[in-house]
Amino acid sequence: MKWAEIELEVHPSFTEAAEAVLTEAGCAGVVVHDPNAVSSDPFADWIVRDQEPRPQPDAPAAVRGYLPVDDRLEAALEDIQHRLTLLREADLDVNEEITLRTVDDAAWADAWKTYFKPQRIGQHFVVKPTWEAWEGQPEDRIIEIDPGMAFGSGSHPTTRLCLTVLEEVVQPGQRILDWGTGSGILAIGAARLGAAEITAVDLDPVAVKVTRENIAQNRLEAVIQAAEGSIEAVAAEPPYDLVIANIVADPIIAGAPEIYRHLRPGGQAVVSGIIDRREAEVTAALEAAGLRLQDVAREEDWRALLLERPE
C-alpha cells in the first residue's frame, strides 16, 4: 500500500500546532524533526545535543504525518491547507506550503523502528514494539504494539494521557467501547487492567487490521473484538461501563450524544485528542449531551477529559 508523507515547515515554537493540524486531519505516526532540539524522547526524530548551545535557534522544524493514498487523500489535504491558513491568520509562523512524498509500507516500517522504543507510561504500563525484548518488573502491564500506519504507539501525549487515566478508572469485569481505536493500544491497556469485554471500532480499515494483529500478539482475542465503523454503528444495549475516544475535537463534539447513549448511568467516558484551545468547546458539547465533567488531565498542549453519565 502507498502512503502520502505530508511535511509541514514551521518555527520550532509552533511544532505542537502543526502536530495538531496533521493529527486532526487523520494523519498517523506524526513525527517532529527539529535539528536543534534537545530531547530524551526515543520516538522523536531529533538530534540530541548534550547541553550544547543551539547554533540556529530559529531554523525551521519539519513535522511529518502519513495518510493513505486513496479517495480520501484530496479532502484531507484540503483540510490541512485550510487549517494552515487559519494558523497564518492567527499570526503563527507556519509555512502554508505542503511537501508531499509517496512511501510504501516497508519503507515507513523501517523508519518507524528507528524511533519506537519501549517506554513506561503511568504507574505500571510498559508499551513496547513487538520486535524489542523487555525485562521488566512483576507488576508491569505489558502492551506489545506494532502500530504500522495506525495512530497509537504511546509516544503522543494524548495516548499517554489516556493510559494514565485508564489506570485510575478501569475496574475488573467492565464492558468498554474504544471508539477510534487506532492501533488498539488503549483497548489492550484496558484489557491488561482487567476489563472483561471490549469493543474496538475505527473507520480506517488499516487501523482495524493493525488492531486485530496487535490483539493477537497480546493474546487478547477472547476479550477484545475489533470492527470497522463508528460509534453510531455499535449497539448501545446493553450499555457500556466506559467509553474511550482518543480521536480529535470535531468528531467528539458531533458524537457527544452517542457517547452519552452508549454509557450506563454512572458510566464514565475518557475523551482525548483535544488541543488546549478547543478544550472548552469540547467540554461544552459533552455537558450539553448530559455528561458531567469529573477531571482534566494535561500534557503539553493536549487534554484528556474524564466525564460521567449521572445516575
PDB file of all heavy atoms in Angstrom, residues 171-178 187 190-191 194-200 222-225 238 240-242:
ATOM      1  N   GLN A 171     -12.072  -0.804  35.962  1.00  0.00           N
ATOM      2  CA  GLN A 171     -12.311  -1.792  37.007  1.00  0.00           C
ATOM      3  C   GLN A 171     -12.429  -3.182  36.373  1.00  0.00           C
ATOM      4  O   GLN A 171     -12.948  -3.327  35.269  1.00  0.00           O
ATOM      5  CB  GLN A 171     -13.600  -1.473  37.774  1.00  0.00           C
ATOM      6  CG  GLN A 171     -13.609  -0.108  38.438  1.00  0.00           C
ATOM      7  CD  GLN A 171     -12.559   0.010  39.521  1.00  0.00           C
ATOM      8  OE1 GLN A 171     -12.348  -0.932  40.292  1.00  0.00           O
ATOM      9  NE2 GLN A 171     -11.890   1.149  39.587  1.00  0.00           N
ATOM     10  N   PRO A 172     -11.953  -4.204  37.079  1.00  0.00           N
ATOM     11  CA  PRO A 172     -12.073  -5.569  36.541  1.00  0.00           C
ATOM     12  C   PRO A 172     -13.524  -5.916  36.210  1.00  0.00           C
ATOM     13  O   PRO A 172     -14.447  -5.557  36.942  1.00  0.00           O
ATOM     14  CB  PRO A 172     -11.541  -6.447  37.687  1.00  0.00           C
ATOM     15  CG  PRO A 172     -10.607  -5.545  38.446  1.00  0.00           C
ATOM     16  CD  PRO A 172     -11.226  -4.175  38.365  1.00  0.00           C
ATOM     17  N   GLY A 173     -13.709  -6.591  35.083  1.00  0.00           N
ATOM     18  CA  GLY A 173     -15.028  -7.051  34.682  1.00  0.00           C
ATOM     19  C   GLY A 173     -15.834  -6.065  33.862  1.00  0.00           C
ATOM     20  O   GLY A 173     -16.944  -6.390  33.432  1.00  0.00           O
ATOM     21  N   GLN A 174     -15.310  -4.886  33.589  1.00  0.00           N
ATOM     22  CA  GLN A 174     -16.091  -3.876  32.875  1.00  0.00           C
ATOM     23  C   GLN A 174     -16.249  -4.193  31.389  1.00  0.00           C
ATOM     24  O   GLN A 174     -15.430  -4.887  30.791  1.00  0.00           O
ATOM     25  CB  GLN A 174     -15.436  -2.494  33.025  1.00  0.00           C
ATOM     26  CG  GLN A 174     -15.627  -1.863  34.384  1.00  0.00           C
ATOM     27  CD  GLN A 174     -15.084  -0.439  34.432  1.00  0.00           C
ATOM     28  OE1 GLN A 174     -14.081  -0.115  33.802  1.00  0.00           O
ATOM     29  NE2 GLN A 174     -15.759   0.425  35.169  1.00  0.00           N
ATOM     30  N   ARG A 175     -17.336  -3.629  30.803  1.00  0.00           N
ATOM     31  CA  ARG A 175     -17.552  -3.612  29.355  1.00  0.00           C
ATOM     32  C   ARG A 175     -17.135  -2.239  28.864  1.00  0.00           C
ATOM     33  O   ARG A 175     -17.589  -1.211  29.390  1.00  0.00           O
ATOM     34  CB  ARG A 175     -19.013  -3.851  28.986  1.00  0.00           C
ATOM     35  CG  ARG A 175     -19.540  -5.218  29.334  1.00  0.00           C
ATOM     36  CD  ARG A 175     -20.980  -5.380  28.844  1.00  0.00           C
ATOM     37  NE  ARG A 175     -21.057  -5.462  27.389  1.00  0.00           N
ATOM     38  CZ  ARG A 175     -21.579  -4.522  26.608  1.00  0.00           C
ATOM     39  NH1 ARG A 175     -22.059  -3.401  27.105  1.00  0.00           N
ATOM     40  NH2 ARG A 175     -21.629  -4.689  25.297  1.00  0.00           N
ATOM     41  N   ILE A 176     -16.288  -2.210  27.826  1.00  0.00           N
ATOM     42  CA  ILE A 176     -15.689  -0.952  27.376  1.00  0.00           C
ATOM     43  C   ILE A 176     -15.822  -0.828  25.868  1.00  0.00           C
ATOM     44  O   ILE A 176     -15.661  -1.803  25.123  1.00  0.00           O
ATOM     45  CB  ILE A 176     -14.202  -0.867  27.797  1.00  0.00           C
ATOM     46  CG1 ILE A 176     -14.104  -0.817  29.327  1.00  0.00           C
ATOM     47  CG2 ILE A 176     -13.510   0.334  27.162  1.00  0.00           C
ATOM     48  CD1 ILE A 176     -12.688  -0.847  29.854  1.00  0.00           C
ATOM     49  N   LEU A 177     -16.103   0.388  25.416  1.00  0.00           N
ATOM     50  CA  LEU A 177     -16.124   0.721  23.991  1.00  0.00           C
ATOM     51  C   LEU A 177     -14.970   1.671  23.700  1.00  0.00           C
ATOM     52  O   LEU A 177     -14.863   2.737  24.310  1.00  0.00           O
ATOM     53  CB  LEU A 177     -17.450   1.388  23.614  1.00  0.00           C
ATOM     54  CG  LEU A 177     -17.556   1.985  22.206  1.00  0.00           C
ATOM     55  CD1 LEU A 177     -17.339   0.921  21.143  1.00  0.00           C
ATOM     56  CD2 LEU A 177     -18.904   2.679  22.024  1.00  0.00           C
ATOM     57  N   ASP A 178     -14.097   1.264  22.773  1.00  0.00           N
ATOM     58  CA  ASP A 178     -12.968   2.103  22.346  1.00  0.00           C
ATOM     59  C   ASP A 178     -13.282   2.611  20.946  1.00  0.00           C
ATOM     60  O   ASP A 178     -13.133   1.900  19.957  1.00  0.00           O
ATOM     61  CB  ASP A 178     -11.679   1.277  22.364  1.00  0.00           C
ATOM     62  CG  ASP A 178     -10.452   2.089  21.955  1.00  0.00           C
ATOM     63  OD1 ASP A 178     -10.536   3.326  21.929  1.00  0.00           O
ATOM     64  OD2 ASP A 178      -9.405   1.462  21.663  1.00  0.00           O
ATOM     65  N   ALA A 187      -7.373  -0.134  24.006  1.00  0.00           N
ATOM     66  CA  ALA A 187      -8.168  -1.332  24.265  1.00  0.00           C
ATOM     67  C   ALA A 187      -7.313  -2.396  24.946  1.00  0.00           C
ATOM     68  O   ALA A 187      -7.748  -3.048  25.910  1.00  0.00           O
ATOM     69  CB  ALA A 187      -8.752  -1.861  22.959  1.00  0.00           C
ATOM     70  N   ALA A 190      -6.691  -1.378  28.528  1.00  0.00           N
ATOM     71  CA  ALA A 190      -7.864  -1.633  29.367  1.00  0.00           C
ATOM     72  C   ALA A 190      -7.986  -3.119  29.696  1.00  0.00           C
ATOM     73  O   ALA A 190      -8.350  -3.495  30.815  1.00  0.00           O
ATOM     74  CB  ALA A 190      -9.120  -1.131  28.671  1.00  0.00           C
ATOM     75  N   ALA A 191      -7.683  -3.970  28.720  1.00  0.00           N
ATOM     76  CA  ALA A 191      -7.728  -5.415  28.975  1.00  0.00           C
ATOM     77  C   ALA A 191      -6.683  -5.813  30.007  1.00  0.00           C
ATOM     78  O   ALA A 191      -6.945  -6.665  30.871  1.00  0.00           O
ATOM     79  CB  ALA A 191      -7.503  -6.175  27.664  1.00  0.00           C
ATOM     80  N   GLY A 194      -7.925  -5.482  33.436  1.00  0.00           N
ATOM     81  CA  GLY A 194      -8.954  -6.393  33.899  1.00  0.00           C
ATOM     82  C   GLY A 194     -10.310  -6.264  33.245  1.00  0.00           C
ATOM     83  O   GLY A 194     -11.260  -6.955  33.655  1.00  0.00           O
ATOM     84  N   ALA A 195     -10.457  -5.388  32.243  1.00  0.00           N
ATOM     85  CA  ALA A 195     -11.741  -5.290  31.544  1.00  0.00           C
ATOM     86  C   ALA A 195     -12.099  -6.652  30.953  1.00  0.00           C
ATOM     87  O   ALA A 195     -11.237  -7.385  30.468  1.00  0.00           O
ATOM     88  CB  ALA A 195     -11.668  -4.240  30.451  1.00  0.00           C
ATOM     89  N   ALA A 196     -13.403  -6.977  30.983  1.00  0.00           N
ATOM     90  CA  ALA A 196     -13.833  -8.312  30.563  1.00  0.00           C
ATOM     91  C   ALA A 196     -14.250  -8.373  29.107  1.00  0.00           C
ATOM     92  O   ALA A 196     -14.132  -9.418  28.464  1.00  0.00           O
ATOM     93  CB  ALA A 196     -14.985  -8.777  31.443  1.00  0.00           C
ATOM     94  N   GLU A 197     -14.761  -7.257  28.570  1.00  0.00           N
ATOM     95  CA  GLU A 197     -15.301  -7.247  27.202  1.00  0.00           C
ATOM     96  C   GLU A 197     -15.070  -5.870  26.598  1.00  0.00           C
ATOM     97  O   GLU A 197     -15.537  -4.861  27.134  1.00  0.00           O
ATOM     98  CB  GLU A 197     -16.787  -7.568  27.238  1.00  0.00           C
ATOM     99  CG  GLU A 197     -17.442  -7.616  25.867  1.00  0.00           C
ATOM    100  CD  GLU A 197     -18.941  -7.867  25.976  1.00  0.00           C
ATOM    101  OE1 GLU A 197     -19.396  -8.386  27.011  1.00  0.00           O
ATOM    102  OE2 GLU A 197     -19.644  -7.505  25.002  1.00  0.00           O
ATOM    103  N   ILE A 198     -14.354  -5.827  25.481  1.00  0.00           N
ATOM    104  CA  ILE A 198     -14.014  -4.548  24.857  1.00  0.00           C
ATOM    105  C   ILE A 198     -14.384  -4.602  23.380  1.00  0.00           C
ATOM    106  O   ILE A 198     -14.004  -5.535  22.667  1.00  0.00           O
ATOM    107  CB  ILE A 198     -12.515  -4.227  25.001  1.00  0.00           C
ATOM    108  CG1 ILE A 198     -12.120  -4.193  26.483  1.00  0.00           C
ATOM    109  CG2 ILE A 198     -12.181  -2.896  24.331  1.00  0.00           C
ATOM    110  CD1 ILE A 198     -10.631  -4.116  26.714  1.00  0.00           C
ATOM    111  N   THR A 199     -15.121  -3.594  22.938  1.00  0.00           N
ATOM    112  CA  THR A 199     -15.418  -3.410  21.527  1.00  0.00           C
ATOM    113  C   THR A 199     -14.560  -2.265  21.017  1.00  0.00           C
ATOM    114  O   THR A 199     -14.628  -1.149  21.541  1.00  0.00           O
ATOM    115  CB  THR A 199     -16.904  -3.074  21.310  1.00  0.00           C
ATOM    116  OG1 THR A 199     -17.704  -4.121  21.849  1.00  0.00           O
ATOM    117  CG2 THR A 199     -17.209  -2.900  19.829  1.00  0.00           C
ATOM    118  N   ALA A 200     -13.736  -2.526  20.001  1.00  0.00           N
ATOM    119  CA  ALA A 200     -12.826  -1.521  19.449  1.00  0.00           C
ATOM    120  C   ALA A 200     -13.222  -1.242  18.011  1.00  0.00           C
ATOM    121  O   ALA A 200     -13.234  -2.165  17.182  1.00  0.00           O
ATOM    122  CB  ALA A 200     -11.378  -2.010  19.521  1.00  0.00           C
ATOM    123  N   ALA A 222     -10.050 -13.205  23.182  1.00  0.00           N
ATOM    124  CA  ALA A 222     -11.248 -13.527  23.944  1.00  0.00           C
ATOM    125  C   ALA A 222     -11.851 -12.308  24.632  1.00  0.00           C
ATOM    126  O   ALA A 222     -12.993 -12.353  25.094  1.00  0.00           O
ATOM    127  CB  ALA A 222     -10.935 -14.599  24.993  1.00  0.00           C
ATOM    128  N   VAL A 223     -11.095 -11.210  24.690  1.00  0.00           N
ATOM    129  CA  VAL A 223     -11.540 -10.018  25.410  1.00  0.00           C
ATOM    130  C   VAL A 223     -11.914  -8.878  24.465  1.00  0.00           C
ATOM    131  O   VAL A 223     -12.904  -8.173  24.681  1.00  0.00           O
ATOM    132  CB  VAL A 223     -10.446  -9.534  26.394  1.00  0.00           C
ATOM    133  CG1 VAL A 223     -10.884  -8.258  27.115  1.00  0.00           C
ATOM    134  CG2 VAL A 223     -10.105 -10.629  27.383  1.00  0.00           C
ATOM    135  N   ILE A 224     -11.137  -8.677  23.395  1.00  0.00           N
ATOM    136  CA  ILE A 224     -11.308  -7.519  22.517  1.00  0.00           C
ATOM    137  C   ILE A 224     -11.801  -7.959  21.150  1.00  0.00           C
ATOM    138  O   ILE A 224     -11.218  -8.856  20.516  1.00  0.00           O
ATOM    139  CB  ILE A 224      -9.977  -6.750  22.346  1.00  0.00           C
ATOM    140  CG1 ILE A 224      -9.354  -6.420  23.702  1.00  0.00           C
ATOM    141  CG2 ILE A 224     -10.206  -5.468  21.544  1.00  0.00           C
ATOM    142  CD1 ILE A 224      -7.941  -5.854  23.599  1.00  0.00           C
ATOM    143  N   GLN A 225     -12.847  -7.302  20.674  1.00  0.00           N
ATOM    144  CA  GLN A 225     -13.356  -7.508  19.322  1.00  0.00           C
ATOM    145  C   GLN A 225     -13.193  -6.204  18.544  1.00  0.00           C
ATOM    146  O   GLN A 225     -13.674  -5.158  18.986  1.00  0.00           O
ATOM    147  CB  GLN A 225     -14.826  -7.921  19.352  1.00  0.00           C
ATOM    148  CG  GLN A 225     -15.082  -9.234  20.089  1.00  0.00           C
ATOM    149  CD  GLN A 225     -14.368 -10.415  19.460  1.00  0.00           C
ATOM    150  OE1 GLN A 225     -14.412 -10.576  18.233  1.00  0.00           O
ATOM    151  NE2 GLN A 225     -13.713 -11.230  20.270  1.00  0.00           N
ATOM    152  N   PRO A 238     -26.558  -4.031  25.634  1.00  0.00           N
ATOM    153  CA  PRO A 238     -26.512  -3.360  26.934  1.00  0.00           C
ATOM    154  C   PRO A 238     -25.498  -2.220  26.917  1.00  0.00           C
ATOM    155  O   PRO A 238     -24.542  -2.261  26.130  1.00  0.00           O
ATOM    156  CB  PRO A 238     -26.071  -4.491  27.879  1.00  0.00           C
ATOM    157  CG  PRO A 238     -25.290  -5.426  27.011  1.00  0.00           C
ATOM    158  CD  PRO A 238     -25.947  -5.383  25.671  1.00  0.00           C
ATOM    159  N   TYR A 240     -22.459   0.454  28.038  1.00  0.00           N
ATOM    160  CA  TYR A 240     -21.074   0.221  28.440  1.00  0.00           C
ATOM    161  C   TYR A 240     -20.764   0.910  29.771  1.00  0.00           C
ATOM    162  O   TYR A 240     -21.362   1.926  30.132  1.00  0.00           O
ATOM    163  CB  TYR A 240     -20.123   0.739  27.362  1.00  0.00           C
ATOM    164  CG  TYR A 240     -20.128  -0.113  26.111  1.00  0.00           C
ATOM    165  CD1 TYR A 240     -21.059   0.111  25.105  1.00  0.00           C
ATOM    166  CD2 TYR A 240     -19.230  -1.153  25.951  1.00  0.00           C
ATOM    167  CE1 TYR A 240     -21.090  -0.684  23.966  1.00  0.00           C
ATOM    168  CE2 TYR A 240     -19.237  -1.952  24.815  1.00  0.00           C
ATOM    169  CZ  TYR A 240     -20.168  -1.711  23.827  1.00  0.00           C
ATOM    170  OH  TYR A 240     -20.186  -2.498  22.698  1.00  0.00           O
ATOM    171  N   ASP A 241     -19.786   0.331  30.472  1.00  0.00           N
ATOM    172  CA  ASP A 241     -19.302   0.941  31.711  1.00  0.00           C
ATOM    173  C   ASP A 241     -18.373   2.117  31.415  1.00  0.00           C
ATOM    174  O   ASP A 241     -18.283   3.058  32.210  1.00  0.00           O
ATOM    175  CB  ASP A 241     -18.532  -0.088  32.548  1.00  0.00           C
ATOM    176  CG  ASP A 241     -19.391  -1.269  32.934  1.00  0.00           C
ATOM    177  OD1 ASP A 241     -20.378  -1.048  33.651  1.00  0.00           O
ATOM    178  OD2 ASP A 241     -19.072  -2.402  32.508  1.00  0.00           O
ATOM    179  N   LEU A 242     -17.664   2.047  30.281  1.00  0.00           N
ATOM    180  CA  LEU A 242     -16.683   3.069  29.939  1.00  0.00           C
ATOM    181  C   LEU A 242     -16.606   3.210  28.427  1.00  0.00           C
ATOM    182  O   LEU A 242     -16.580   2.210  27.704  1.00  0.00           O
ATOM    183  CB  LEU A 242     -15.302   2.683  30.494  1.00  0.00           C
ATOM    184  CG  LEU A 242     -14.127   3.620  30.185  1.00  0.00           C
ATOM    185  CD1 LEU A 242     -14.293   4.956  30.916  1.00  0.00           C
ATOM    186  CD2 LEU A 242     -12.801   2.969  30.585  1.00  0.00           C
TER     187      LEU A 242
END
